[in-house]
Amino acid sequence: GIYAPVTEDNQPNPFLDDPLRDVTTLEGLKLTKINPAYMTRQVAEIAMESEGVHFHLTSLRPLRPANAPDKWEEKALESFEGGSKEKFELVRTKEGPLYKYMAPLLTKKACLKCHAEQGYKEGDIRGGISLTFDATPMLASIAHQRNHLITLHILGFFFAVIVFTWMSRLTRKSEAIIEESRERYRELVEFTDAVHWELDFKTLRFNYISPQVEKLLGYPASSWIDFDFWADHLHPDDREWAPAFYKDLIARGKYHTFTYRMIAMDGRVVWIRDIVNVEADESGKPVRHRGILLDVTELKEAEEETAHSLEEKEVLLRELHHRVKNNLAVITSLLSLQSSHMGSKSAEEILQESRNRIMSMALVHEQLFQTKDFSNISILNYLESLLMNIVSSYGPGKGMVIIERDIADISISIDVLIPLGLIVNELVTNSLKHAFGPGQKGLIKGSVTNPGANDYVITVSDDGKGMPEDLDVEKSDTLGLKLVNILAAQLEGTLEFESKEGTAFTIGFSYHG
């Protein structure tokens, strides 16, 4: 405590048991000790007079009777004994509402000088200090704040109602627009004969299939539950490969189109062209598939009919070429018979040359009869057969002459091959007849090359006695060379002649297939 002068308002504390409570200074001034409890009472009296706030130091075992607790303080002190840290409450009294607050006072070592005799130990709850003040001003402020908040809440409520109403109208309008767009899209989708569908990737169940599917296959849209329904109604020949093909491409996220057959409810076979698109998520994994089923049965039937017609036409063309070849063979046979009854050697040679010319054309028709491609014929196969026939037609007398061939394996049309064959026939025949003497050995070379994309060169040469250097092949009056000139012009080609150590003819032309 502290010492203070003894005055009317500061009298010695009768409850302070201290032999040095009262002292007198050398000057004769009387002092009394003010302990913490006494000082608290004095502060409380000042606060009560100036602020209307009442402090009260109290205990369940007070030394000063005036410090005895009221009922509220007694309950608070008991709660401190039970472990409560503080007590605050709004108390309604006859005088008006009061706020009461109380905190416990713990026994410290210094407190034991005065309170050890009461049995207190350090750390015990010795009592408490309470604070009481009028709650009316604060409650009025709270009420004002509450009214303000209520007003704000009411205004907020009405604002929310207005916003909600506006949003509801906007939402209904948006929903109406969306529904209208959805209805237009549905009408557009369901207007066509194409069947639109959507399948979930994980469940393999149909999210949607347009009602046209019933018109197409007879099964109502409600029957199309999942992938298995589709697979189970495929044509038996497509039931294995089509689902495997579909799953493989879908797993890889591939857009694809494929054609297969389905069995309709009435047993019809319907050709379907399925156009499938894969929709993936952000990571690229397939999420759903969308597609369009198109009925291509009429197209397939038309294709099959066309293929059948083409096959029939090929058979007819092959038969036609076969008959032309046979008729030409009959003519060559007649010419052979006629030549055997001719009395003139020159007449026999003329008939033989005519026979070879006809045979060169007959070989073309024979090649066409044997091939499946009527637009192009192999030059190699044709000229091999032609040269063999020319040599054999002159009999063993020309057996000492060797024919070398260097023929590119290319194919050309009949319109080019017939004049080309006649040219080779005339030039090889000319070499066999005039280039070598009786029993003389000789070499005839025949070649066909393709030096450019559309350029072709035919060369027929021999190592015989040659022809006059001043020979003008374009003005020659022999039938063979006249034919060569005419046929080269028909091919829109060039004809070159050279006679050095034999004879060489070169024909160049272009062919664009």
Side-chain angles (χ1 to χ4, degrees), residues 234-283:
L234 289 169
H235 189 279
D237 293 343
D238 300 335
R239 203 165 289 167
E240 184 174 347
W241 74 265
F245 175 84
Y246 174 83
K247 288 183 177 179
D248 176 61
L249 290 179
I250 287 299
R252 290 186 283 155
K254 297 287 187 179
Y255 167 89
H256 64 279
T257 299
F258 66 128
T259 304
Y260 51 83
R261 290 161 292 180
M262 294 195 74
I263 305 300
M265 182 178 283
D266 57 6
R268 290 177 296 114
V269 175
V270 181
W271 281 91
I272 301 292
R273 178 164 296 155
D274 205 344
I275 304 170
V276 184
N277 188 34
V278 181
E279 183 177 334
D281 59 16
E282 295 179 355
S283 64

Side-chain angles (χ1 to χ4, degrees), residues 113-129:
K113 293 180 181 180
C114 299
H115 298 283
E117 293 180 356
Q118 292 178 278
Y120 289 112
K121 299 186 297 295
E122 187 176 353
D124 289 347
I125 295 175
R126 184 166 52 84
I129 183 168

Side-chain angles (χ1 to χ4, degrees), residues 271-304:
W271 281 91
I272 301 292
R273 178 164 296 155
D274 205 344
I275 304 170
V276 184
N277 188 34
V278 181
E279 183 177 334
D281 59 16
E282 295 179 355
S283 64
K285 293 182 179 179
V287 176
R288 63 183 63 88
H289 324 142
R290 293 191 179 101
I292 301 175
L293 304 180
L294 300 174
D295 182 1
V296 293
T297 304
E298 292 184 1
L299 178 62
K300 276 291 182 180
E301 290 175 350
E303 288 178 356
E304 290 176 358

Side-chain angles (χ1 to χ4, degrees), residues 305-354:
E305 185 177 346
T306 301
H308 182 67
S309 298
L310 287 174
E311 186 178 351
E312 288 182 344
K313 191 175 292 185
E314 287 179 3
V315 171
L316 291 173
L317 282 172
R318 191 171 286 109
E319 180 64 21
L320 175 63
H321 288 300
H322 180 60
R323 293 193 179 191
V324 170
K325 186 263 297 184
N326 287 343
N327 290 336
L328 291 174
V330 169
I331 294 172
T332 58
S333 297
L334 291 173
L335 290 174
S336 295
L337 288 173
Q338 184 65 42
S339 65
S340 64
H341 292 83
M342 299 295 292
S344 169
K345 183 68 174 176
S346 61
E348 288 181 9
E349 290 180 354
I350 291 172
L351 289 176
Q352 181 63 38
E353 290 174 3
S354 297

Side-chain angles (χ1 to χ4, degrees), residues 75-94:
K75 289 182 179 180
L77 289 169
E78 289 174 352
S79 70
F80 296 156
E81 295 286 348
S84 296
K85 301 297 183 182
E86 61 182 0
K87 181 77 171 178
F88 180 76
E89 189 176 356
L90 174 64
V91 180
R92 302 286 180 176
T93 67
K94 292 180 180 180

Side-chain angles (χ1 to χ4, degrees), residues 373-443:
D373 185 0
F374 294 103
S375 59
N376 293 294
I377 306 171
S378 170
I379 291 181
L380 176 62
N381 294 336
Y382 169 69
L383 291 183
E384 289 279 357
S385 299
L386 177 62
L387 293 172
M388 189 181 300
N389 274 280
I390 295 172
V391 172
S392 64
S393 69
Y394 281 90
K398 297 297 182 180
M400 302 298 290
V401 178
I402 298 173
I403 297 181
E404 286 187 359
R405 297 171 288 273
D406 182 15
I407 303 170
D409 189 10
I410 52 180
S411 297
I412 56 176
S413 69
I414 184 174
D415 295 334
V416 175
L417 192 59
I418 287 178
L420 187 151
L422 288 170
I423 289 173
V424 171
N425 176 76
E426 294 301 325
L427 295 177
V428 172
T429 298
N430 189 65
S431 293
L432 287 171
K433 286 176 60 179
H434 305 293
F436 310 104
Q440 181 183 351
K441 293 182 179 181
L443 176 65

